[in-house]
Amino acid sequence: MEMSTTDIVRTAAMLVAFAVAVSRGRKIWMMADAGAVLLFGLGWMVAPGILLEQMTKGPLDELHLYISRSYGAVMVGSVVTWYMTRNSGDVTVSNVLLYSRVVGITMQLLAVAYCQMNYRDLEKGGWTQEQIWYGVFGGGVWLLGNLYHSARSDQFGCFGQRNDRVSFVLRLDGFLCLLLSLFEFAFPDMWLSMLGMKSVDGIHLHMLRCFIAVMFMSALVSTWAPVFLKDEDKRNVLLGRMV
């Protein structure tokens, strides 16, 4: 893929921003992560058609836009949890948030690789090479930052779970979302067919997998949140899920 001047400039800017954010420590990185995810989430919610047109050649319909907006919505919801727990003194919270990002971003990168191998044909979706920059390069940088700070942790926290109402809701939410996410990520066409969507293409299937990858992130956080020390942090996880 030939890179234009614009591509080179934004790639360099991303690398510089990445290097600065990573080098400033875990808390700064997590706030930079939250800020970037918030911007992308709002972009997918407000202007999904514009973003998709930069990465696809196929015709877009209302289902494409709906799934893309849903993708943006769950990204914004995850940011709420990250922001509300930013000052938590419990190291378990940041460890879980970083680990969930590593797993979810890895799922998104797998989805990008799969769609590049199978949905490049216009009849199947028409994803372009520009999607590689957005999906692989951007996602790869995002993954490395979270993986770096997750791997550097020498404190793991984790406290005993209590059988309180908040923990029960979190465990139930985490279990159901993990179960549904695994099924939908593996069989997106079957899931859409069950919902009555008969005519789907590679754009539908890829965006659904991206949406599910972020849902899986949130499900992991819900699953681990009952071991958080403070009830306030648990409630902030629920707040992000409701948003």
Side-chain angles (χ1 to χ4, degrees):
M1 179 178 65
E2 295 184 3
M3 296 184 67
S4 65
T5 302
T6 301
D7 292 331
I8 294 173
V9 169
R10 64 185 180 183
T11 299
M14 179 177 289
L15 288 174
V16 170
F18 166 75
V20 171
V22 169
S23 65
R24 296 296 298 275
R26 171 181 282 207
K27 188 171 183 178
I28 296 298
W29 166 259
M30 293 184 71
M31 288 299 97
D33 176 290
V37 173
L38 178 62
L39 289 175
F40 278 103
L42 291 174
W44 281 110
M45 289 178 66
V46 174
I50 294 176
L51 294 176
L52 284 174
E53 285 174 357
Q54 296 182 54
M55 295 180 281
T56 67
K57 297 175 290 187
L60 302 178
D61 58 29
E62 289 301 317
L63 183 57
H64 292 126
L65 303 183
Y66 172 75
I67 297 174
S68 299
R69 288 193 175 99
S70 298
Y71 173 49
V74 293
M75 292 177 76
V76 172
S78 74
V79 171
V80 172
T81 296
W82 280 56
Y83 179 78
M84 296 299 292
T85 59
R86 68 192 184 282
N87 294 320
S88 175
D90 180 5
V91 68
T92 311
V93 177
S94 58
N95 284 342
V96 168
L97 293 177
L98 288 167
Y99 178 74
S100 71
R101 279 284 200 258
V102 170
V103 175
I105 299 167
T106 301
M107 292 175 66
Q108 287 200 53
L109 289 174
L110 290 173
V112 172
Y114 185 84
C115 83
Q116 281 292 324
M117 290 187 294
N118 295 278
Y119 303 146
R120 291 287 297 278
D121 190 324
L122 185 58
E123 294 182 0
K124 297 180 180 179
W127 289 99
T128 64
Q129 288 185 318
E130 282 72 17
Q131 193 228 7
I132 297 176
W133 190 92
Y134 289 99
V136 176
F137 180 76
V141 169
W142 187 24
L143 172 63
L144 287 175
N146 284 287
L147 183 61
Y148 173 77
H149 283 292
S150 180
R152 287 187 75 242
S153 178
D154 57 0
Q155 300 180 44
F156 301 98
C158 293
F159 298 87
Q161 298 189 33
R162 299 195 306 270
N163 289 322
D164 56 88
R165 186 176 301 176
V166 174
S167 295
F168 171 78
V169 172
L170 285 166
R171 284 192 292 267
L172 181 62
D173 174 72
F175 172 74
L176 293 176
C177 284
L178 283 174
L179 193 64
L180 285 173
S181 296
L182 288 172
F183 175 78
E184 293 176 44
F185 191 84
F187 309 107
D189 49 346
M190 186 183 299
W191 177 254
L192 290 174
S193 178
M194 290 169 60
L195 295 178
M197 311 300 177
K198 302 301 182 182
S199 179
V200 297
D201 58 27
I203 302 175
H204 295 118
L205 301 181
H206 175 67
M207 291 309 302
L208 181 59
R209 284 193 173 103
C210 288
F211 164 68
I212 294 305
V214 182
M215 285 291 291
F216 196 85
M217 290 184 199
S218 299
L220 287 176
V221 176
S222 290
T223 301
W224 281 96
V227 303
F228 291 173
L229 177 62
K230 300 178 182 178
D231 288 338
E232 180 183 2
D233 292 329
K234 299 178 185 180
R235 289 192 292 269
N236 285 330
V237 172
L238 284 178
L239 176 62
R241 297 288 291 128
M242 289 186 290
V243 171

